[in-house]
Amino acid sequence: MKEIITIKDKSFIKFISKEEISAAVDRIAAKINEEYKDEIPVILVTLNGAILFAAELIQKLTIDCVVSAVKMSSYHGTMQSSAHVKSLVGLSEDVKDKRVLIIEDIIDTGNTYEHMVELLNENQAKDVAIATMTFKPTAYTKSIPVQYVGIEIPDKFIVGHGLDYQGLGRNVPDIYQLYKEEK
Ligand code: IMP
Ligand code: MG
């Protein structure tokens, strides 16, 4: 894989290999298999960013589970996270009295996560937890616990392995970090 890639007006430097992500997936899957062995959870994949991470993680789950997806808007192709989160694809699964596990690509400010927890509480989920591929602890503004973290990263923009910059880069297997602006 290339060390530097360019997407639109920005260049990115290789940061996390897909092998490191796979190792994190194995670690998280083992914990989830233990935690949810007695009750069938609803696994909620957040579109579009979590698709690659979720595909790997779900295959490693040996428990019975229901898999569904939701899509939230919070990011608008810019590099700024927005506080106004709304559901673009809503909850199709009945979560009442069920344990729900959200699968995310990244937790940045936590606005999206907080919004989802509120939505799931309104729908009377029994409990809600999250498994996220990456987490930016210094950008996180919420107090809701983040249960399963793949890799903690600094507060710097990343792309690849599901994450996009202005719609591109989701298919890149490794994760790249913002390097410099191209002219
Ligand atoms: P949050 O609501 O601020 O936690 O972040 C919400 C969404 O912003 C994530 O689900 C991503 O879609 C997007 N996002 C945040 N940080 C990054 C990044 O570094 N690269 C790409 N997308 C990001
Ligand atoms: Mg996401």
Side-chain angles (χ1 to χ4, degrees), residues 74-75 81 104-112 136 156-158 163-164:
S74 67
Y75 224 71
S81 189
E104 262 291 15
D105 46 350
I106 190 162
I107 299 178
D108 184 26
T109 62
N111 288 330
T112 310
K136 295 178 178 170
K156 212 168 177 190
F157 193 82
I158 56 170
L163 290 153
D164 73 307

Side-chain angles (χ1 to χ4, degrees), residues 120-140:
L120 292 162
N121 285 340
E122 280 163 25
N123 285 273
Q124 298 171 52
K126 183 173 171 185
D127 66 32
V128 180
I130 193 160
T132 186
M133 177 172 73
T134 57
F135 177 44
K136 295 178 178 170
T138 57
Y140 193 57

Side-chain angles (χ1 to χ4, degrees), residues 26-180:
D26 289 348
R27 193 169 35 76
I28 292 175
K31 290 188 182 154
I32 294 171
N33 285 329
E34 180 57 31
E35 174 64 28
Y36 294 91
K37 62 180 186 295
D38 300 324
E39 232 171 307
I40 300 174
V42 175
I43 309 270
L44 268 192
V45 180
T46 60
L47 304 174
N48 299 319
I51 293 176
L52 271 71
F53 175 61
E56 286 174 76
L57 180 59
I58 291 167
Q59 291 180 70
K60 302 258 159 92
L61 300 183
T62 52
I63 49 167
D64 285 334
C65 57
V66 172
V67 177
S68 188
V70 289
K71 185 171 185 176
M72 304 286 149
S73 76
S74 67
Y75 224 71
H76 304 278
T78 63
M79 308 199 86
Q80 283 297 306
S81 189
S82 147
H84 303 286
V85 182
K86 55 177 188 181
S87 303
L88 298 179
V89 176
L91 202 58
S92 59
E93 212 54 51
D94 181 15
V95 298
K96 189 169 184 301
D97 301 326
K98 309 244 176 72
R99 303 190 72 187
V100 178
L101 177 68
I102 301 166
I103 302 189
E104 262 291 15
D105 46 350
I106 190 162
I107 299 178
D108 184 26
T109 62
N111 288 330
T112 310
Y113 179 31
E114 181 183 62
H115 176 83
M116 290 188 65
V117 169
E118 282 166 8
L119 177 78
L120 292 162
N121 285 340
E122 280 163 25
N123 285 273
Q124 298 171 52
K126 183 173 171 185
D127 66 32
V128 180
I130 193 160
T132 186
M133 177 172 73
T134 57
F135 177 44
K136 295 178 178 170
T138 57
Y140 193 57
T141 61
K142 312 295 171 189
S143 51
I144 318 168
V146 177
Q147 290 80 3
Y148 308 100
V149 175
I151 298 159
E152 285 195 2
I153 59 168
D155 185 9
K156 212 168 177 190
F157 193 82
I158 56 170
V159 288
H161 212 86
L163 290 153
D164 73 307
Y165 170 55
Q166 296 191 354
L168 299 179
R170 294 194 197 277
N171 55 313
V172 175
D174 299 309
I175 292 178
Y176 286 73
Q177 187 180 53
L178 184 62
Y179 182 50
K180 66 174 168 54

